[in-house]
């Protein structure tokens, strides 16, 4: 039983290296700053419209239950999306974020009109900048 509690605690707390929700917009600007993209301001969206990894979804659901029985604090959740349009082509990126209070918890990136080599390059840039996240990539 004690081992189970220790493993449960480890499962719930081992990934605490989150980006501040107020800062990720600037990190996106740094990534695509030299790539000729127009970056729109973040738009609030329903967090249900942001795809998360199965592990992250399970953890968040457990945290919600623990919050309901006053064993854990659970902040306010919200989603945002930032649209990035290329100024040189018809390439497009939609960066969707799932935030909990002041923290960026999950990232989904939708892309359109990317050739495989350019897509691999942009994936590497985003995954390097957000190395603590499992980014979900979806073609539009």
């Amino acid at each position: 039983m004690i081992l189970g509690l220790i493993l449960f605690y480890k499962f719930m707390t081992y990934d605490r290296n989150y980006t501040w929700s107020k800062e990720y917009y600037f990190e996106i600007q740094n990534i695509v700053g030299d790539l000729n993209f127009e970056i729109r301001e973040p738009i609030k969206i329903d967090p249900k419209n942001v795809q998360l990894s199965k592990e992250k979804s399970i953890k968040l659901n457990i945290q919600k239950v623990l919050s309901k029985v006053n064993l854990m604090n659970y902040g306010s959740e919200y989603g945002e999306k930032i649209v990035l349009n290329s100024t040189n082509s018809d390439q497009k990126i939609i960066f969707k974020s799932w935030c909990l209070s002041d923290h960026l918890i999950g990232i989904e990136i939708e892309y359109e009109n990317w050739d495989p080599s350019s897509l691999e390059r942009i994936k590497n840039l985003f995954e390097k900048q957000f190395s603590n996240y499992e980014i979900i990539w979806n073609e539009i």
Side-chain angles (χ1 to χ4, degrees):
M1 174 112 162
I2 293 173
L3 179 61
L5 289 172
I6 291 170
L7 292 174
F8 177 74
Y9 177 79
K10 179 95 170 142
F11 174 74
M12 292 301 294
T13 61
Y14 78 92
D15 62 346
R16 295 291 183 184
N17 297 320
Y18 297 123
T19 299
W20 291 105
S21 59
K22 296 175 185 177
E23 294 178 358
Y24 78 87
Y25 180 80
F26 302 108
E27 293 185 30
I28 293 171
Q29 286 178 322
N30 289 335
I31 295 170
V32 298
D34 297 333
L35 299 177
N36 298 317
F37 274 86
E38 174 188 271
I39 304 172
R40 304 242 172 105
E41 290 295 317
I43 301 167
K44 296 282 186 202
I45 61 171
D46 189 336
K48 294 175 185 165
N49 294 331
V50 180
Q51 185 179 351
L52 296 174
S53 68
K54 296 231 183 271
E55 179 184 343
K56 191 63 70 178
S57 294
I58 291 168
K59 284 182 177 184
L60 291 170
N61 286 327
I62 291 170
Q63 289 174 5
K64 285 180 187 178
V65 169
L66 292 173
S67 175
K68 287 181 182 178
V69 294
N70 295 322
L71 292 176
M72 182 176 197
N73 289 331
Y74 191 83
S76 60
E77 57 186 47
Y78 63 96
E80 289 185 339
K81 80 175 180 180
I82 299 171
V83 178
L84 301 100
N85 292 310
S86 174
T87 57
N88 297 337
S89 68
D90 56 351
Q91 293 174 325
K92 182 178 187 177
I93 296 173
I94 300 173
F95 185 98
K96 293 177 167 181
S97 61
W98 197 104
C99 301
L100 183 62
S101 297
D102 292 334
H103 297 94
L104 174 64
I105 302 296
I107 300 170
E108 177 187 6
I109 298 178
E110 298 177 335
Y111 59 92
E112 185 175 32
N113 299 320
W114 286 81
D115 63 84
S117 63
S118 297
L119 179 60
E120 190 62 32
R121 186 170 143 231
I122 200 77
K123 278 185 176 183
N124 288 336
L125 292 171
F126 274 96
E127 288 173 358
K128 182 179 177 185
Q129 185 69 36
F130 296 101
S131 60
N132 294 328
Y133 294 88
E134 180 181 337
I135 300 174
I136 307 294
W137 292 88
N138 291 313
E139 186 171 13
I140 300 174

